[in-house]
């Protein structure tokens, strides 16, 4: 009889331990899920702001450059450039493109990969100077450096 009581006590302890472990595991899973939901909510809250900043920098780019080829907005931060779908971002006030494990300045990306996608950027002031200098003096070229990055406002 004493042996049965010890066995019952042992089984009861194992049952309580199993229930406690299951409750702990469930609590941890719930906390992890809540944390993931909070992080996703933060990302979703940032997207409209980021999307507006990307749109502003793209508008500035179109105001300062002659863009040939196809650039289309697909989502908040996703653009179609030629046949290539890219993720855009704004880092330090600069428009950048996601490349592999990092980012590349948008204008540098176009200079490097744009021809492959049929997209080119020509500064408007350079284009205007070339057309006006070609009509008056074909050998004259602009000595002023062109902007390579958008100004941060």
């Amino acid at each position: 009889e004493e042996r049965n009581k010890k066995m019952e006590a042992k089984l009861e302890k194992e049952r309580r331990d199993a229930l406690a472990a299951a409750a702990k595991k469930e609590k941890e899973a719930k906390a992890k899920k809540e944390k993931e939901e909070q992080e996703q909510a933060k990302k979703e809250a940032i997207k409209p702001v980021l999307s507006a900043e990307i749109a502003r920098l793209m508008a500035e780019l179109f105001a300062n450059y002659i863009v040939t080829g196809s650039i289309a907005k697909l989502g908040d931060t996703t653009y179609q450039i030629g046949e290539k779908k890219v993720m855009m971002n704004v880092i330090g006030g600069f428009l950048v493109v996601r490349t592999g494990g990092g980012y590349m300045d948008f204008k540098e990306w176009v200079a490097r990969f744009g021809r492959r996608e049929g997209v080119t950027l020509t500064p408007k002031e350079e284009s205007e100077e070339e057309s006006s200098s070609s009509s008056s003096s074909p050998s004259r070229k602009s000595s002023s450096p062109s902007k390579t990055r958008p100004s941060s406002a």
Side-chain angles (χ1 to χ4, degrees):
E1 202 175 297
E2 188 174 315
R3 188 174 174 191
N4 284 344
K5 285 183 182 180
K6 284 183 181 180
M7 187 63 104
E8 286 178 16
K10 184 179 177 184
L11 289 173
E12 181 63 27
K13 183 180 182 318
E14 287 176 0
R15 188 181 69 78
R16 279 187 304 223
D17 289 348
L19 286 173
K24 182 180 177 184
K25 193 173 184 177
E26 186 178 322
K27 185 177 177 181
E28 288 172 353
K30 185 177 179 183
K32 182 179 177 182
K33 184 178 178 182
E34 286 176 1
K35 184 178 179 182
E36 288 171 354
E37 288 173 353
Q38 287 173 349
E39 288 175 4
Q40 185 64 31
K42 283 181 187 177
K43 286 180 183 178
E44 293 299 321
I46 290 171
K47 273 188 178 179
V49 173
L50 181 60
S51 179
E53 184 66 4
I54 291 170
R56 184 188 70 75
L57 288 172
M58 287 295 272
E60 186 176 306
L61 181 84
F62 281 101
N64 295 318
Y65 289 84
I66 296 170
V67 180
T68 58
S70 170
I71 298 177
K73 184 174 182 174
L74 301 177
D76 287 331
T77 60
T78 308
Y79 282 75
Q80 181 90 25
I81 301 176
E83 294 295 317
K84 182 87 171 160
K85 188 189 293 188
V86 297
M87 299 298 291
M88 305 290 274
N89 201 345
V90 177
I91 298 177
F94 296 103
L95 186 62
V96 294
V97 177
R98 181 79 175 166
T99 54
Y103 291 92
M104 181 183 279
D105 180 78
F106 178 73
K107 286 184 234 93
E108 290 174 19
W109 188 91
V110 170
R112 186 167 177 187
F113 303 109
R115 184 166 287 156
R116 183 184 316 164
E117 300 302 328
V119 176
T120 61
L121 296 176
T122 307
K124 283 188 177 177
E125 58 193 42
E126 183 180 296
S127 176
E128 291 167 1
E129 287 174 10
E130 285 177 8
S131 64
S132 66
S133 67
S134 65
S135 61
S136 61
S137 166
S139 62
R140 221 173 97 188
K141 286 205 171 184
S142 171
S143 62
S144 64
S146 63
K147 284 186 177 180
T148 59
R149 294 183 178 225
S151 62
S152 54

